[in-house]
Amino acid sequence: DLVPPERQEAAYASVRVAANFGVTLGPPIGGLLLIGGHWSHLWIGNLVLSSIAFAIAFRYIPRSGAYAPEGPPERGSLRVILRDYPFLLFLVFALAAQMTYLATDTLFPISATTTHHLSPALWGGIVILNPLFVTFFQLRLTRWAASIRPAVKLGIAMPMMGLPFLLLNVDGSAPVIALIIVVF
């Protein structure tokens, strides 16, 4: 609602870059705050950084978007959604994508360190590749792919999230796991 429709893809990419920037910088900052084993430093640091983020958001994010609808929908949304088969198909694939994210965040570390015998430290070094790549290349990739239709981008991106995991059936070495993380 804050940007015109033609800028929504770039705006989403910017939000994703900012989130991944936090994922990339958060653990090192947390580690620095924990030097000496003082958990209170971590909690106070988190409080301070969260308060700064809240103040910035409160100050700069508008209360309503310039492109928000004027009023509520004139008819019930559920019937419209149930008749929109492409949207329902999108919801099914979005659920599959969310399950892939969940498996990547919770099960992949367990699999990498137990089944594929990576050390936790090596896993930690590999897993940050994804947020690093998103931080540095998401906006460039979004600009490069601007002329490609959204359906084509989605049709290519969705399989790229899950299919690389099939490589684990062939090889579970650190380079293959790093490749899966980068493609993901």
Side-chain angles (χ1 to χ4, degrees), residues 9 145-156:
E9 187 174 359
S147 63
I148 301 171
R149 293 180 335 174
V152 172
K153 286 188 272 195
L154 190 61
I156 292 170

Side-chain angles (χ1 to χ4, degrees), residues 1-18 67 134 137-157:
D1 293 345
L2 299 177
V3 297
E6 64 273 4
R7 295 272 307 131
Q8 287 177 350
E9 187 174 359
Y12 175 74
S14 298
V15 168
R16 188 151 184 246
V17 167
Y67 299 92
V134 170
F137 299 113
Q138 174 80 34
L139 292 176
R140 289 173 183 87
L141 182 62
T142 300
R143 273 188 244 120
W144 175 79
S147 63
I148 301 171
R149 293 180 335 174
V152 172
K153 286 188 272 195
L154 190 61
I156 292 170

Side-chain angles (χ1 to χ4, degrees), residues 89-107:
L89 184 62
F90 173 77
L91 285 180
V92 167
F93 283 108
L95 177 63
Q98 191 60 39
M99 289 172 51
T100 303
Y101 269 113
L102 178 65
T104 302
D105 288 345
T106 58
L107 301 177

Side-chain angles (χ1 to χ4, degrees), residues 18-177:
N20 278 277
F21 193 61
V23 169
T24 302
L25 289 180
I29 291 171
L32 287 173
L33 291 170
L34 280 174
I35 288 177
H38 301 289
W39 284 93
S40 59
H41 294 173
L42 178 67
W43 305 127
I44 292 169
N46 188 25
L47 174 68
V48 169
L49 292 173
S50 297
S51 298
I52 291 169
F54 177 80
I56 290 170
F58 188 79
R59 168 64 178 92
Y60 291 105
I61 295 178
R63 301 294 178 256
S64 66
Y67 299 92
E70 296 286 326
E74 294 178 13
R75 58 184 185 189
S77 302
L78 183 60
R79 278 191 224 119
V80 174
I81 290 171
L82 292 176
R83 285 189 216 126
D84 189 346
Y85 296 115
F87 182 72
L88 291 174
L89 184 62
F90 173 77
L91 285 180
V92 167
F93 283 108
L95 177 63
Q98 191 60 39
M99 289 172 51
T100 303
Y101 269 113
L102 178 65
T104 302
D105 288 345
T106 58
L107 301 177
F108 198 26
I110 296 167
S111 174
T113 56
T114 58
T115 304
H116 303 291
H117 310 292
L118 269 61
S119 71
L122 181 57
W123 167 254
I126 290 173
V127 78
I128 66 165
L129 292 174
N130 183 270
L132 277 173
F133 271 71
V134 170
T135 300
F136 291 111
F137 299 113
Q138 174 80 34
L139 292 176
R140 289 173 183 87
L141 182 62
T142 300
R143 273 188 244 120
W144 175 79
S147 63
I148 301 171
R149 293 180 335 174
V152 172
K153 286 188 272 195
L154 190 61
I156 292 170
M158 295 304 280
M160 286 179 71
M161 284 179 61
L163 289 178
F165 287 95
L166 293 175
L167 291 172
L168 290 173
N169 292 324
V170 178
D171 185 359
S173 65
V176 170
I177 290 175

